[in-house]
Amino acid sequence: MKTIDVLLSEGVAGKRVFVRADLNVPLDGTAITDDGRIRAVLPTVKALADAGARVVVASHLGRPKGAPDPAFSLAPAAARLGELLGADVAFATDTVGDSATATVAGLADGQVAVLENLRFNAGETAKDDAERGAFADRLAALADLYVGDGFGAVHRKHASVYDLPARLPHAAGFLIATEVGVLKKLTDDVKRPYVVALGGAKVSDKLAVIDELLGKADRILIGGGMAYTFLKAKGYEIGTSLLQEDQLPAVTEYLERAERNGVELVLPVDTLVAEGFPDLKTKAPAHPATVAADAIPADRQGLDIGPETRTLYASKLADAATVFWNGPMGVFEHPDYAEGTKAVAQALLDSPGYTVVGGGDSAAAVRILGFDEKAFGHISTGGGASLEYLEGKTLPGLAALED
């Protein structure tokens, strides 16, 4: 895979370089609540601009339905990118229309532009190869070179991720090169003990990676909403906690296989419960109670791991040589249910091993809960992409960057 260093050494001055970034940042109206993904692509954009390229940055944001939707505009991300660069960033109000064409044509050497949300065009996510290809053709007309640096989207077979690199000379940006290097440490030459902490709402989102890790990890710690399906599989009462009943057979089989393979699959021993889901907007006090994991009242919902589980999980991470964490341990957005996620993040910091935070809500939690990002070995920008890589899947966006 050619990297951006090669492009820079060959010279990019005066050339239009299309950078497929991941600016899919969380918004509260037009306010960005976490700019981590913008910061992550900054080294690539700055290096190209400093070398005299005319940089065209493109990304998706959210899930608009193939048509313009002001709620998903990239305008706030473009403004933030300009603030971080300390330079004006032009913004095109469409993706391949008159505004994009004029904006790119107006760039001088070393200047940067951001196109409007790629998913405002149905061709970006089309299942039909011809429709996707037609959109990629129009994007290719805006550039001379392509740099893939949107790691959070490389598991998608989308026009700007998969089809466009085939139409232009291409290379991987600094972010993708770093992400792939990190993930190889979790797959090719793993230092042990190798401990994985998995959380998040749905066990179905993690089934494939658990299946793969049962042959690779030494310990797997389960938290978040997905833990209650595991507890149910053990025959426990889980009250009104999140349950994916259709996944019970698979979870039961994983529990059995973990025992056969000598993999510690560790479940919560206690949990914080309440009558219902907390108000995340007002963050009004929720007054949770702590109960044993096998004694959740029938009318209560589990929303975070309890204090005994926090201590247990910290002990299971204490001697790890390699740690991968993906998914919060509870509803960390509410202060009454953030302690489990805080405890796991702190345990990673205390661990002597190489620690990787696997993107998505985990990466957001690290920043929202006030941890120093630089204290972790690596914080990924792509939760889904990281998981699919660990599952052993071929990621379309990475395959497209191979020579």
Side-chain angles (χ1 to χ4, degrees):
M1 182 185 293
K2 183 189 288 188
T3 67
I4 187 174
D5 289 314
V6 176
L7 287 187
L8 292 170
S9 66
E10 292 172 349
V12 295
K15 294 182 179 180
R16 301 168 301 164
V17 182
F18 188 104
V19 177
R20 200 336 178 157
D22 180 8
L23 308 180
N24 185 27
V25 292
L27 295 173
D28 182 1
T30 60
I32 297 170
T33 58
D34 180 7
D35 67 358
R37 284 176 170 163
I38 302 175
R39 291 179 179 275
V41 78
L42 201 61
T44 290
V45 173
K46 191 174 187 312
L48 289 168
D50 288 348
R54 303 177 182 193
V55 187
V56 182
V57 180
S59 176
H60 70 287
L61 190 152
R63 297 178 182 271
K65 301 185 183 300
D69 183 338
F72 297 105
S73 176
L74 276 173
R80 182 58 179 151
L81 178 61
E83 291 174 359
L84 293 171
L85 285 171
D88 291 336
V89 168
F91 181 65
T93 57
D94 57 27
T95 55
V96 290
D98 293 342
S99 180
T101 301
T103 300
V104 174
L107 290 176
D109 293 1
Q111 290 187 330
V112 178
V114 173
L115 304 181
E116 185 54 284
N117 192 335
L118 290 165
R119 291 185 182 175
F120 284 2
N121 189 303
E124 169 68 0
T125 60
K127 301 293 186 186
D128 181 73
D129 291 348
E131 184 180 356
R132 239 184 21 256
F135 183 49
D137 287 339
R138 297 183 69 187
L139 291 173
L142 299 172
D144 306 302
L145 302 170
Y146 175 94
V147 172
D149 215 30
F151 182 73
V154 293
H155 57 314
R156 306 296 187 191
K157 193 176 182 180
H158 291 170
S160 65
V161 175
Y162 178 75
D163 302 273
L164 184 54
R167 289 157 168 78
L168 294 170
H170 52 264
F174 292 127
L175 175 61
I176 280 186
T178 298
E179 294 273 14
V180 171
V182 167
L183 289 170
K184 284 183 177 178
K185 292 182 181 180
L186 302 179
T187 53
D188 296 347
D189 186 22
V190 183
K191 294 182 179 179
R192 298 184 180 278
Y194 178 22
V195 185
V196 177
L198 297 175
K202 295 182 178 180
V203 68
S204 57
D205 294 340
K206 306 290 196 304
L207 281 179
V209 76
I210 294 171
D211 185 67
E212 186 72 16
L213 289 169
L214 282 172
K216 294 182 177 178
D218 298 298
R219 298 180 200 129
I220 302 175
L221 318 180
I222 303 292
M226 62 183 285
Y228 300 101
T229 299
F230 278 86
L231 294 174
K232 184 70 172 180
K234 289 179 69 70
Y236 296 170
E237 168 62 57
I238 64 167
T240 60
S241 305
L242 185 63
L243 170 66
Q244 287 190 281
E245 197 163 0
D246 61 326
Q247 304 300 332
L248 285 171
V251 167
T252 300
E253 194 273 327
Y254 288 168
L255 289 168
E256 294 170 352
R257 185 156 28 120
E259 189 171 354
R260 289 197 306 271
N261 292 357
V263 176
E264 282 189 80
L265 205 160
V266 189
L267 300 178
V269 294
D270 62 346
T271 185
L272 269 60
V273 299
E275 291 185 6
F277 202 79
D279 188 329
L280 298 184
K281 194 170 184 66
T282 66
K283 294 184 170 55
H287 306 297
T290 301
V291 300
D294 61 354
I296 299 174
D299 62 347
R300 294 293 187 270
Q301 180 178 7
L303 295 165
D304 192 15
I305 58 173
E308 289 186 28
T309 305
R310 293 173 219 152
T311 301
L312 172 65
Y313 285 11
S315 72
K316 296 296 183 181
L317 291 162
D319 66 343
T322 305
V323 182
F324 175 71
W325 170 36
N326 181 283
M329 296 292 108
V331 187
F332 74 92
E333 300 91 341
H334 191 287
D336 289 349
Y337 303 103
E339 294 304 317
T341 301
K342 281 184 184 178
V344 168
Q346 186 62 52
L348 262 70
L349 292 183
D350 295 340
S351 169
Y354 184 66
T355 56
V356 178
V357 181
D361 287 340
S362 306
V366 164
R367 290 185 279 268
I368 291 169
L369 298 176
F371 289 93
D372 180 4
E373 297 177 60
K374 295 178 182 177
F376 297 87
H378 179 71
I379 297 181
S380 179
T381 57
S386 296
L387 289 175
E388 291 198 15
Y389 190 99
L390 294 181
E391 290 165 20
K393 290 184 178 180
T394 297
L395 306 188
L398 296 185
L401 294 175
E402 297 292 346
D403 296 328

